[in-house]
Amino acid sequence: MSSRRRRTRPTPQIIAVSEYARGAAQLYLGYRWMTDAAVVRAWGVWFGTFHAASRRFSAAQPAVASRMQKWDEMHHGVLAGAPVAPADAAVEGNGEHWGVLHGDVNPSNFFVVDPPADDPSGSPQLSVFDWDQAQRGWWLWDLAQAIFGVLMLAEAGSVVDASPVPQANPAEFSDRLVAGYESVAGAGSVDRARLGRMVQLRKYFYGAFCRRALAEGNVPPAMAHFLKYIVDWQDRMPVDKSVFQ
């Protein structure tokens, strides 16, 4: 008796390969990530270098770039209808101000590569990973994620017990981050008013995300603690929506 072997068409797959991240993880509660001027500047340099590469990518692969989710489509559209200043809405899609972003460069998503001990003049570098929130948005939306973490600690206190974190200085951190960014992107490339609005928009995002997550329920205890920390903070100190007028 003859038999036939059924043939199936293979499913197309995409395999992404990268090297292991170099450097060392940053202890969040050690706060080096926000107090070491060289690390913060390196953070800005990374953003500037990446955004330049992102512009080249979008120019070479416009169809691929256009398929990326927009900033307000992420997380099942939790930011749909979020307040946006007219000046920011006017430059949406403008490559000078907008492109493909990492979307979530926070201290848990990079390692720091320190210079060799015998090179005291060297500068640290960032090895960035976790690209699952890559998206299209304003370049400064990327920088705002970094600044948001410092603003959160300055206003809400420690994520452990809400005790004051005197090391958290959003203005100083922003100055250092922008200096690193503009060392690559050019002096004056950061619109500080827009950056301030993006930071408030990040605060809005975290509030909306955490409130929705709590309402949906079934949250692990460790995550529930953080969600309530954010909601309690924003109940006391709401987003400054006047900046979006």
Side-chain angles (χ1 to χ4, degrees):
M1 182 175 65
S2 64
S3 63
R4 290 185 179 180
R5 180 176 297 175
R6 185 176 179 181
R7 294 184 179 181
T8 58
R9 181 174 297 178
T11 302
Q13 297 183 10
I14 297 175
I15 300 175
V17 180
S18 65
E19 64 179 12
Y20 284 110
R22 297 177 296 117
Q26 297 303 289
L27 179 63
Y28 183 83
L29 295 178
Y31 299 134
R32 182 195 177 199
W33 57 269
M34 72 173 176
T35 59
D36 187 322
V39 170
V40 179
R41 181 181 175 85
W43 203 338
V45 168
W46 187 89
F47 274 131
T49 304
F50 166 63
H51 289 169
S54 179
R55 285 188 177 94
R56 295 193 298 270
F57 167 78
S58 293
Q61 300 288 343
V64 177
S66 68
R67 293 200 298 268
M68 303 289 290
Q69 291 188 91
K70 288 174 56 181
W71 66 279
D72 57 354
E73 297 171 336
M74 302 294 294
H75 302 288
H76 304 286
V78 70
L79 280 172
V84 176
D88 301 328
V91 298
E92 183 174 316
N94 182 325
E96 183 178 349
H97 306 281
W98 174 281
V100 175
L101 316 176
H102 178 284
D104 192 26
V105 184
N106 68 70
S108 67
N109 288 341
F110 64 76
F111 290 167
V112 172
V113 183
D114 284 307
D118 59 357
D119 182 15
S121 63
S123 300
Q125 295 180 328
L126 266 60
S127 182
V128 177
F129 42 87
D130 199 350
W131 293 81
D132 66 327
Q133 293 190 43
Q135 59 193 268
R136 286 180 294 141
W138 300 275
W139 300 123
L140 299 186
W141 181 239
D142 243 358
L143 274 67
Q145 173 64 26
I147 299 167
F148 167 82
V150 184
L151 176 72
M152 178 187 76
L153 293 172
E155 293 188 351
S158 167
V159 296
V160 176
D161 57 8
S163 61
V165 182
Q167 306 96 312
N169 186 329
E172 181 180 70
F173 181 91
S174 298
D175 287 344
R176 291 170 173 172
L177 186 76
V178 168
Y181 188 84
E182 291 191 339
S183 72
V184 178
S189 56
V190 172
D191 181 329
R192 296 298 288 260
R194 174 167 291 130
L195 181 59
R197 293 193 295 270
M198 293 293 112
V199 174
Q200 287 300 308
L201 190 56
R202 281 286 180 183
K203 184 175 178 179
Y204 178 96
F205 159 66
Y206 272 85
F209 178 90
C210 293
R211 291 180 194 280
R212 189 175 73 176
L214 286 172
E216 291 175 349
N218 195 29
V219 180
M223 178 58 72
H225 172 84
F226 178 75
L227 299 178
K228 292 175 182 177
Y229 162 86
I230 293 291
V231 170
D232 289 347
W233 162 40
Q234 297 203 18
D235 283 345
R236 297 191 311 271
M237 304 182 71
V239 173
D240 181 7
K241 293 185 178 180
S242 68
V243 302
F244 303 118
Q245 303 300 317

